Amino acid sequence: MPRATDAADTTADTSADSSATDTPVSDAGRCAGRTVPRGTHPDAASRARTLAAYAASAVVELPGNIGDEQVVPEARTVEADGSVLLLLPPEVGAAVLTARDDVAAVLHVVDVAPVAVPHRVRAHCWIAGWLSAPTGAELARARGRLAAATRDPALLAFDGARSGAVVRLEPGEVLVDDLWGAEHVEPDEYEEASPDPLAEHETELLQHLDASHGGELEHLCRMTGASDEGERVAPVALDRFGLRLRCSGPTRTRDVRFEFDAPVGDPAALGDALRALFQGPRSAESDCA
Protein backbone atom coordinates (compact mmCIF):
# COMPACT_ATOMS: atom_id res chain seq x y z
CA MET A 1 0.00 0.00 0.00
CA PRO A 2 1.12 3.57 -0.57
CA ARG A 3 2.26 5.49 2.48
CA ALA A 4 1.98 9.29 2.57
CA THR A 5 4.57 11.39 4.37
CA ASP A 6 5.41 15.08 4.33
CA ALA A 7 8.60 15.99 2.52
CA ALA A 8 10.98 18.65 3.79
CA ASP A 9 9.36 21.93 4.83
CA THR A 10 8.98 24.25 1.85
CA THR A 11 11.11 26.90 3.58
CA ALA A 12 13.94 24.48 4.41
CA ASP A 13 17.51 25.00 3.23
CA THR A 14 18.04 22.85 0.15
CA SER A 15 21.84 23.03 0.12
CA ALA A 16 23.99 19.94 0.47
CA ASP A 17 24.19 20.57 4.24
CA SER A 18 20.43 20.38 4.83
CA SER A 19 18.74 17.30 6.27
CA ALA A 20 17.26 14.84 3.78
CA THR A 21 14.78 13.24 6.15
CA ASP A 22 10.98 13.36 5.93
CA THR A 23 8.61 13.91 8.84
CA PRO A 24 5.75 11.36 8.85
CA VAL A 25 2.32 12.96 9.20
CA SER A 26 -0.07 10.27 8.10
CA ASP A 27 -0.12 6.57 7.35
CA ALA A 28 -2.26 5.19 4.58
CA GLY A 29 -1.56 1.70 5.93
CA ARG A 30 -3.43 2.38 9.17
CA CYS A 31 -7.20 2.69 9.24
CA ALA A 32 -9.99 2.52 11.79
CA GLY A 33 -9.37 -0.32 14.17
CA ARG A 34 -6.82 -2.33 12.21
CA THR A 35 -3.37 -2.12 10.68
CA VAL A 36 -2.61 -2.97 7.07
CA PRO A 37 0.85 -4.59 6.94
CA ARG A 38 3.50 -2.41 5.36
CA GLY A 39 5.80 -3.66 2.66
CA THR A 40 9.53 -3.77 3.10
CA HIS A 41 12.01 -1.06 2.20
CA PRO A 42 15.79 -0.93 1.72
CA ASP A 43 17.71 -1.31 4.96
CA ALA A 44 20.29 1.25 6.04
CA ALA A 45 23.27 -0.88 5.00
CA SER A 46 22.06 -1.37 1.42
CA ARG A 47 21.14 2.30 1.20
CA ALA A 48 24.65 3.24 2.30
CA ARG A 49 26.20 0.89 -0.26
CA THR A 50 23.97 2.37 -2.97
CA LEU A 51 24.94 5.92 -2.05
CA ALA A 52 28.65 5.07 -1.88
CA ALA A 53 28.52 3.67 -5.39
CA TYR A 54 26.08 5.94 -7.19
CA ALA A 55 25.58 9.30 -5.44
CA ALA A 56 26.66 12.02 -7.86
CA SER A 57 28.56 14.32 -5.51
CA ALA A 58 31.46 13.32 -3.25
CA VAL A 59 34.16 15.01 -1.20
CA VAL A 60 36.97 13.51 0.88
CA GLU A 61 37.64 15.22 4.21
CA LEU A 62 41.17 14.81 5.58
CA PRO A 63 41.04 16.08 9.18
CA GLY A 64 44.50 16.94 10.51
CA ASN A 65 46.41 15.34 7.64
CA ILE A 66 46.78 17.90 4.87
CA GLY A 67 45.71 21.21 6.33
CA ASP A 68 42.23 19.98 7.23
CA GLU A 69 41.36 20.29 3.57
CA GLN A 70 38.66 18.72 1.49
CA VAL A 71 39.32 17.22 -1.92
CA VAL A 72 36.95 16.14 -4.66
CA PRO A 73 37.78 12.69 -6.08
CA GLU A 74 38.22 12.59 -9.84
CA ALA A 75 36.84 9.05 -9.76
CA ARG A 76 35.58 6.49 -7.27
CA THR A 77 34.28 2.94 -7.22
CA VAL A 78 33.20 0.57 -4.46
CA GLU A 79 34.82 -2.82 -4.02
CA ALA A 80 32.93 -6.01 -3.15
CA ASP A 81 33.92 -5.66 0.52
CA GLY A 82 32.64 -2.08 0.68
CA SER A 83 36.03 -0.37 0.58
CA VAL A 84 36.17 2.60 -1.77
CA LEU A 85 38.81 3.18 -4.42
CA LEU A 86 39.45 6.88 -5.02
CA LEU A 87 41.48 8.90 -7.49
CA LEU A 88 42.83 11.87 -5.49
CA PRO A 89 45.48 14.57 -6.05
CA PRO A 90 49.12 13.33 -6.02
CA GLU A 91 49.94 15.10 -2.74
CA VAL A 92 47.29 13.04 -0.95
CA GLY A 93 48.83 9.84 -2.25
CA ALA A 94 52.25 11.00 -1.10
CA ALA A 95 50.89 11.73 2.39
CA VAL A 96 49.35 8.27 2.57
CA LEU A 97 52.54 6.52 1.39
CA THR A 98 54.82 8.36 3.82
CA ALA A 99 52.57 8.44 6.89
CA ARG A 100 53.76 6.54 9.96
CA ASP A 101 50.23 6.09 11.26
CA ASP A 102 46.96 5.35 9.52
CA VAL A 103 45.65 8.32 7.56
CA ALA A 104 42.09 9.07 8.68
CA ALA A 105 39.57 10.30 6.11
CA VAL A 106 35.84 10.76 5.67
CA LEU A 107 34.09 10.27 2.37
CA HIS A 108 30.94 12.43 2.28
CA VAL A 109 28.57 11.71 -0.60
CA VAL A 110 25.45 13.72 -1.43
CA ASP A 111 22.59 12.33 -3.51
CA VAL A 112 20.35 14.67 -5.51
CA ALA A 113 17.08 13.82 -7.25
CA PRO A 114 17.59 13.58 -11.03
CA VAL A 115 14.32 15.42 -11.79
CA ALA A 116 13.27 18.96 -10.92
CA VAL A 117 11.49 18.81 -7.55
CA PRO A 118 11.52 20.98 -4.42
CA HIS A 119 14.24 19.98 -1.94
CA ARG A 120 16.29 17.94 -4.41
CA VAL A 121 18.87 16.72 -1.88
CA ARG A 122 17.71 13.18 -1.12
CA ALA A 123 20.52 11.82 1.01
CA HIS A 124 23.88 12.21 2.69
CA CYS A 125 26.24 9.38 3.58
CA TRP A 126 29.47 9.62 5.56
CA ILE A 127 32.01 6.79 5.42
CA ALA A 128 34.82 7.33 7.91
CA GLY A 129 37.91 5.16 7.85
CA TRP A 130 41.57 4.94 6.88
CA LEU A 131 43.39 5.46 3.61
CA SER A 132 45.99 3.12 2.15
CA ALA A 133 47.86 3.22 -1.16
CA PRO A 134 47.80 0.04 -3.28
CA THR A 135 51.03 -0.90 -5.03
CA GLY A 136 52.21 -3.30 -7.74
CA ALA A 137 49.62 -5.59 -9.25
CA GLU A 138 46.98 -4.32 -6.83
CA LEU A 139 47.55 -0.77 -8.06
CA ALA A 140 47.14 -1.85 -11.68
CA ARG A 141 43.90 -3.64 -10.82
CA ALA A 142 42.61 -0.60 -8.90
CA ARG A 143 43.38 1.68 -11.85
CA GLY A 144 41.43 -0.62 -14.15
CA ARG A 145 38.48 -0.68 -11.76
CA LEU A 146 38.39 3.12 -11.58
CA ALA A 147 38.66 3.47 -15.35
CA ALA A 148 35.82 0.99 -15.92
CA ALA A 149 33.63 2.63 -13.29
CA THR A 150 33.96 6.10 -14.78
CA ARG A 151 33.92 5.03 -18.45
CA ASP A 152 36.56 7.72 -18.92
CA PRO A 153 39.17 6.79 -21.55
CA ALA A 154 41.61 9.31 -20.06
CA LEU A 155 41.79 7.21 -16.91
CA LEU A 156 42.88 4.10 -18.77
CA ALA A 157 46.40 5.38 -19.37
CA PHE A 158 47.06 7.21 -16.10
CA ASP A 159 49.87 9.07 -17.83
CA GLY A 160 51.31 12.49 -17.12
CA ALA A 161 48.39 14.23 -18.77
CA ARG A 162 46.04 12.95 -16.08
CA SER A 163 48.05 12.59 -12.88
CA GLY A 164 46.48 11.40 -9.66
CA ALA A 165 46.92 9.06 -6.75
CA VAL A 166 44.90 5.88 -6.30
CA VAL A 167 43.99 5.25 -2.66
CA ARG A 168 41.68 2.86 -0.86
CA LEU A 169 39.33 3.89 1.96
CA GLU A 170 38.71 1.11 4.48
CA PRO A 171 35.39 1.85 6.26
CA GLY A 172 35.34 2.05 10.04
CA GLU A 173 32.11 3.95 10.61
CA VAL A 174 29.13 4.61 8.33
CA LEU A 175 26.23 7.04 8.75
CA VAL A 176 23.36 7.48 6.29
CA ASP A 177 20.83 10.32 6.46
CA ASP A 178 18.16 10.09 3.78
CA LEU A 179 14.43 10.03 3.07
CA TRP A 180 14.06 7.11 5.48
CA GLY A 181 15.86 8.83 8.36
CA ALA A 182 19.32 8.95 9.90
CA GLU A 183 20.97 5.67 10.91
CA HIS A 184 24.40 4.39 11.86
CA VAL A 185 25.48 1.27 9.99
CA GLU A 186 27.79 -1.33 11.52
CA PRO A 187 30.89 -1.95 9.37
CA ASP A 188 30.17 -5.67 8.99
CA GLU A 189 26.58 -4.97 7.89
CA TYR A 190 27.83 -2.43 5.38
CA GLU A 191 30.41 -4.91 4.06
CA GLU A 192 27.81 -7.65 3.56
CA ALA A 193 25.17 -5.41 1.94
CA SER A 194 24.64 -4.89 -1.78
CA PRO A 195 23.59 -1.75 -3.65
CA ASP A 196 20.07 -1.57 -4.98
CA PRO A 197 19.80 -3.39 -8.35
CA LEU A 198 17.96 -0.43 -9.93
CA ALA A 199 20.38 2.24 -8.73
CA GLU A 200 22.62 2.22 -11.80
CA HIS A 201 19.64 3.06 -14.01
CA GLU A 202 17.56 5.11 -11.57
CA THR A 203 18.35 8.46 -13.19
CA GLU A 204 17.09 7.56 -16.66
CA LEU A 205 14.14 5.60 -15.25
CA LEU A 206 12.91 8.53 -13.15
CA GLN A 207 13.47 11.01 -15.98
CA HIS A 208 11.46 8.75 -18.32
CA LEU A 209 8.60 8.51 -15.81
CA ASP A 210 8.60 12.26 -15.34
CA ALA A 211 8.61 13.01 -19.08
CA SER A 212 6.27 10.28 -20.35
CA HIS A 213 3.98 9.13 -17.52
CA GLY A 214 2.89 12.29 -15.75
CA GLY A 215 -0.80 11.39 -16.01
CA GLU A 216 -0.33 8.00 -14.39
CA LEU A 217 1.75 9.50 -11.59
CA GLU A 218 -0.89 12.13 -10.84
CA HIS A 219 -3.55 9.41 -10.71
CA LEU A 220 -1.54 7.42 -8.18
CA CYS A 221 -1.17 10.43 -5.89
CA ARG A 222 -4.82 11.39 -6.17
CA MET A 223 -5.86 7.91 -5.03
CA THR A 224 -4.09 8.47 -1.69
CA GLY A 225 -5.39 12.00 -1.22
CA ALA A 226 -1.77 13.19 -1.17
CA SER A 227 -2.21 15.67 -4.02
CA ASP A 228 -4.80 18.29 -4.93
CA GLU A 229 -5.87 19.67 -8.29
CA GLY A 230 -3.12 21.79 -9.78
CA GLU A 231 -0.28 20.31 -7.73
CA ARG A 232 2.73 18.96 -9.60
CA VAL A 233 3.52 15.29 -9.15
CA ALA A 234 7.03 14.08 -9.94
CA PRO A 235 8.98 10.87 -9.28
CA VAL A 236 11.68 11.50 -6.69
CA ALA A 237 13.13 8.05 -5.84
CA LEU A 238 13.00 4.47 -7.02
CA ASP A 239 14.31 1.25 -5.48
CA ARG A 240 13.62 -2.45 -5.78
CA PHE A 241 10.77 -2.21 -3.26
CA GLY A 242 8.83 0.79 -4.53
CA LEU A 243 8.43 4.24 -6.07
CA ARG A 244 8.32 7.56 -4.22
CA LEU A 245 6.46 10.51 -5.71
CA ARG A 246 6.61 14.15 -4.62
CA CYS A 247 3.46 16.28 -4.79
CA SER A 248 4.09 20.02 -4.63
CA GLY A 249 1.87 23.08 -4.69
CA PRO A 250 1.90 26.68 -3.49
CA THR A 251 1.42 25.83 0.20
CA ARG A 252 2.82 22.34 0.75
CA THR A 253 5.11 19.61 -0.47
CA ARG A 254 4.33 15.99 0.32
CA ASP A 255 5.79 12.58 -0.55
CA VAL A 256 3.82 9.42 -1.13
CA ARG A 257 5.43 6.02 -1.64
CA PHE A 258 4.00 3.11 -3.59
CA GLU A 259 5.38 -0.32 -2.76
CA PHE A 260 5.59 -3.06 -5.36
CA ASP A 261 3.85 -6.39 -4.84
CA ALA A 262 7.29 -8.04 -4.82
CA PRO A 263 10.87 -6.73 -4.93
CA VAL A 264 12.14 -5.94 -8.43
CA GLY A 265 15.43 -7.64 -9.23
CA ASP A 266 16.42 -5.76 -12.39
CA PRO A 267 15.21 -3.00 -14.73
CA ALA A 268 13.65 -5.55 -17.10
CA ALA A 269 11.17 -6.58 -14.38
CA LEU A 270 10.32 -3.00 -13.45
CA GLY A 271 7.83 -2.55 -16.28
CA ASP A 272 5.47 -5.19 -14.89
CA ALA A 273 5.68 -3.71 -11.38
CA LEU A 274 4.88 -0.21 -12.66
CA ARG A 275 2.02 -1.45 -14.83
CA ALA A 276 0.50 -3.10 -11.76
CA LEU A 277 0.61 0.26 -9.98
CA PHE A 278 -0.78 2.20 -12.92
CA GLN A 279 -3.69 -0.23 -13.30
CA GLY A 280 -4.94 0.89 -9.91
CA PRO A 281 -3.82 -0.05 -6.40
CA ARG A 282 -6.56 0.05 -3.82
CA SER A 283 -6.89 3.36 -2.01
CA ALA A 284 -6.54 3.72 1.75
CA GLU A 285 -10.32 4.24 1.99
CA SER A 286 -11.07 0.96 0.25
CA ASP A 287 -8.78 -0.86 2.67
CA CYS A 288 -10.77 0.51 5.59
CA ALA A 289 -14.09 -0.78 4.30
Side-chain angles (χ1 to χ4, degrees):
M1 266 307 301
R3 180 159 55 94
T5 60
D6 272 349
D9 187 274
T10 54
T11 61
D13 177 11
T14 57
S15 70
D17 292 328
S18 64
S19 174
T21 58
D22 287 348
T23 302
V25 293
S26 64
D27 188 347
R30 297 185 182 274
C31 28
R34 70 183 182 88
T35 299
V36 178
R38 289 181 179 176
T40 54
H41 65 270
D43 59 36
S46 65
R47 282 154 33 212
R49 285 293 295 262
T50 300
L51 290 167
Y54 296 109
S57 175
V59 63
V60 177
E61 302 167 0
L62 299 157
N65 289 300
I66 309 176
D68 291 333
E69 67 176 299
Q70 297 182 341
V71 295
V72 177
E74 287 195 70
R76 79 176 191 272
T77 188
V78 181
E79 297 278 66
D81 63 358
S83 61
V84 186
L85 294 174
L86 301 161
L87 182 62
L88 299 179
E91 60 268 23
V92 177
V96 173
L97 282 170
T98 59
R100 293 184 177 181
D101 300 318
D102 292 335
V103 177
V106 179
L107 176 67
H108 178 196
V109 299
V110 181
D111 180 47
V112 179
V115 298
V117 293
H119 320 296
R120 289 184 69 175
V121 175
R122 301 188 300 186
H124 299 258
C125 183
W126 294 266
I127 302 174
W130 300 271
L131 296 178
S132 61
T135 58
E138 179 59 21
L139 175 58
R141 190 194 70 84
R143 286 175 172 173
R145 288 270 294 144
L146 284 166
T150 59
R151 300 181 177 86
D152 185 347
L155 288 177
L156 291 170
F158 277 85
D159 56 18
R162 184 80 177 264
S163 61
V166 176
V167 299
R168 180 189 303 276
L169 176 65
E170 299 288 347
E173 184 177 1
V174 180
L175 171 66
V176 60
D177 182 6
D178 60 9
L179 297 172
W180 300 102
E183 297 182 61
H184 283 277
V185 179
E186 294 297 326
D188 58 340
E189 294 178 350
Y190 169 81
E191 179 180 345
E192 294 170 3
S194 299
D196 191 90
L198 301 182
E200 183 177 1
H201 304 282
E202 186 196 23
T203 292
E204 55 261 41
L205 291 169
L206 289 181
Q207 290 174 346
H208 170 73
L209 287 172
D210 188 47
S212 303
H213 296 280
E216 291 97 327
L217 301 182
E218 289 180 6
H219 175 68
L220 287 175
C221 269
R222 297 270 162 71
M223 292 188 69
T224 67
S227 67
D228 296 329
E229 190 71 32
E231 290 187 337
R232 181 174 184 269
V233 176
V236 70
L238 175 69
D239 58 66
R240 65 187 180 276
F241 296 111
L243 171 68
R244 182 186 292 259
L245 305 180
R246 184 156 294 171
C247 314
S248 55
T251 60
R252 69 171 185 174
T253 298
R254 171 174 288 193
D255 282 3
V256 60
R257 177 175 168 83
F258 291 84
E259 293 168 348
F260 301 138
D261 292 335
V264 175
D266 56 61
L270 180 62
D272 289 339
L274 289 173
R275 279 188 287 273
L277 288 182
F278 293 160
Q279 287 169 0
R282 293 177 299 164
S283 69
E285 289 75 17
S286 67
D287 275 339
C288 293

